Amino acid sequence: MTPNKYKQLEKMSNNDGIIAALAIDQRGSLKKMLASYSDTPNENDIVEFKKAISSELTPYASSILLDPEYGLPAAKVRADNTGLLVAYEKTGYDTTEPGRMPDLIPEWSVKNLKEAGADSIKFLLYIDIDEDKKINEQKEAFVERIGSECVAEDIPLFVELVSYDANITDAKSSEYAKVKPHKVIEAMREFSKPRYNIDVLKVEVPINLDYVDGYNGSNLSVYTKDEALNYFKEQSEATDLPYIFLSAGVSAETFRTELILAKEAGADFNGVLCGRATWKGAIEPYAKDGEEAGIEWMDTEGKKNIEELNNVLKETATPWFKKVRQTV
């Protein structure tokens, strides 16, 4: 890793070398969340909500993930010494053809994201590792291009892998839970190859906790606890890169439990990029009762969510710099 990339990753991390990042790069989905409690959300509501999250919660996070369309004003009000990770992809994916093909925000490049203040670049890829070879070859080439752009600008690249199965519509189903470990781990193995020039992988946990024996309530048991632990360990062994977990919209409590299981399995993960699990509860008071009510929730429940997560990270995550050799 180049000295500049190393320095930028240090900005993304806390003093222990753990990435304890806050994610609020949602765009269309955030507008829908606000709309569920307000009849007339507009573009400015999204901007202002992101600003409130950034100003109130970044004092407790090592870095924040934002988007360039709505999030740059929020970047300006983040706490001092908070790293800035900026999304490069268009929100969602192309629904007019098979394969959930990605696209980039057309008016942005890695160069001007860096000029806008980004310390690191994030790209999200939907990937079914078993999909048609022609589809996956296009995605692989897409990531290679972005990796080359980041090499040229000497800036770290985070790639977020979101798995799916082209033949299973419900990602929360027991049917998908059965194939999820394979989908997550093999995608991670592929994109750990040096040709992609990825610096940090942002990944899902390899299981669905709702189907783990002892954690599944009234749901079907798809995995025993030992099987779940083995999947966490296999995931860790599938890469030599630093990797962090995404919260995938689960509750704050569920996410903490997943991290504890990863630690119990001996997984060598290096932090989190946590979004909705931290701040989703602020949506209702913010949209219904105004900014002041939303900020009150952030300053109490939101802060509590991050501090509890940070405490778990101290006990479970390992420093990313133990995996990285800095070049001269």
Side-chain angles (χ1 to χ4, degrees):
M1 181 176 287
T2 66
N4 189 64
K5 280 192 173 189
Y6 196 96
K7 180 181 177 182
Q8 297 302 85
L9 273 190
E10 286 181 322
K11 288 185 181 180
M12 308 301 297
S13 318
N14 62 25
N15 293 333
D16 298 321
I18 308 299
I19 298 169
L22 176 65
I24 184 160
D25 62 327
Q26 290 82 356
R27 285 151 271 180
S29 62
L30 179 55
K31 189 172 184 179
K32 289 177 183 177
M33 284 186 270
L34 289 167
S36 65
Y37 297 106
S38 172
D39 294 333
T40 57
N42 55 46
E43 308 290 287
N44 191 58
D45 292 331
I46 300 173
V47 172
E48 292 302 317
F49 184 77
K50 287 174 184 276
K51 285 172 63 178
I53 291 288
S54 181
S55 65
E56 301 307 309
L57 296 182
T58 53
Y60 317 106
S62 67
S63 45
I64 186 169
L65 167 62
L66 292 162
D67 58 283
E69 292 125 311
Y70 301 105
L72 292 181
K76 294 177 181 177
V77 297
R78 71 188 192 276
D80 292 343
N81 302 316
T82 303
L84 177 60
L85 180 62
V86 181
Y88 192 15
E89 79 282 348
K90 269 186 183 177
T91 188
Y93 50 82
D94 188 346
T95 59
T96 64
E97 58 179 318
R100 303 191 186 186
M101 299 304 294
D103 203 356
L104 300 178
I105 307 168
E107 61 270 32
W108 289 93
S109 65
V110 170
K111 180 181 285 291
N112 55 30
L113 289 173
K114 183 179 178 181
E115 290 171 348
D119 297 310
S120 300
I121 302 298
K122 188 272 292 187
F123 175 70
L124 184 154
L125 182 71
Y126 292 94
I127 183 74
D128 176 357
I129 201 69
D130 302 307
E131 203 159 12
D132 185 272
K133 184 178 179 183
K134 289 184 178 179
I135 288 173
N136 283 343
E137 284 178 343
Q138 290 180 59
K139 292 181 179 181
E140 290 162 11
F142 206 105
V143 177
E144 287 170 2
R145 293 186 195 105
I146 297 168
S148 294
E149 237 189 309
C150 290
V151 167
E153 294 301 323
D154 199 16
I155 190 169
L157 172 61
F158 287 58
V159 170
E160 176 178 357
L161 300 174
V162 176
S163 66
Y164 68 96
D165 186 300
N167 299 310
I168 300 175
T169 56
D170 184 2
K172 296 182 179 180
S173 66
S174 60
E175 183 183 14
Y176 187 71
K178 293 173 184 176
V179 300
K180 183 180 180 183
H182 163 74
K183 300 290 186 182
V184 170
I185 293 168
E186 292 310 313
M188 194 168 167
R189 197 185 310 279
E190 170 62 35
F191 288 96
S192 295
K193 294 176 180 177
R195 66 182 299 112
Y196 298 108
N197 290 300
I198 294 168
D199 298 290
V200 179
L201 286 170
K202 178 187 176 189
V203 297
E204 303 161 279
V205 299
I207 49 89
N208 184 332
L209 191 67
D210 289 339
Y211 297 101
V212 177
D213 191 28
Y215 300 86
N216 57 325
S218 60
N219 291 333
L220 177 73
S221 176
V222 170
Y223 340 86
T224 65
K225 183 180 178 183
D226 283 345
E227 287 171 336
L229 294 175
N230 286 337
Y231 286 132
F232 274 108
K233 184 63 173 174
E234 185 181 350
Q235 178 185 42
S236 182
E237 292 172 348
T239 187
D240 292 324
L241 294 176
Y243 74 96
I244 60 178
F245 285 122
L246 59 100
S247 58
V250 301
S251 70
E253 182 180 4
T254 294
F255 193 44
R256 293 193 298 269
T257 299
E258 291 170 342
L259 301 184
I260 291 167
L261 286 175
K263 172 65 174 179
E264 187 176 343
D268 189 15
F269 74 99
N270 310 109
V272 298
L273 241 170
C274 186
R276 288 166 289 173
T278 295
W279 51 257
K280 187 177 180 181
I283 293 280
E284 182 174 359
Y286 186 94
K288 277 186 174 181
D289 303 318
E291 183 177 13
E292 187 175 332
I295 287 175
E296 182 180 354
W297 189 97
M298 296 171 202
D299 290 344
T300 52
E301 294 302 313
K303 176 184 175 183
K304 177 173 175 283
N305 285 340
I306 292 187
E307 289 183 331
E308 288 179 347
L309 180 58
N310 286 341
N311 287 336
V312 171
L313 285 173
K314 285 180 183 178
E315 302 299 323
T316 59
T318 61
W320 60 263
F321 53 70
K322 290 187 176 181
K323 295 180 176 179
V324 173
R325 185 175 71 250
Q326 187 177 182
T327 58
V328 178

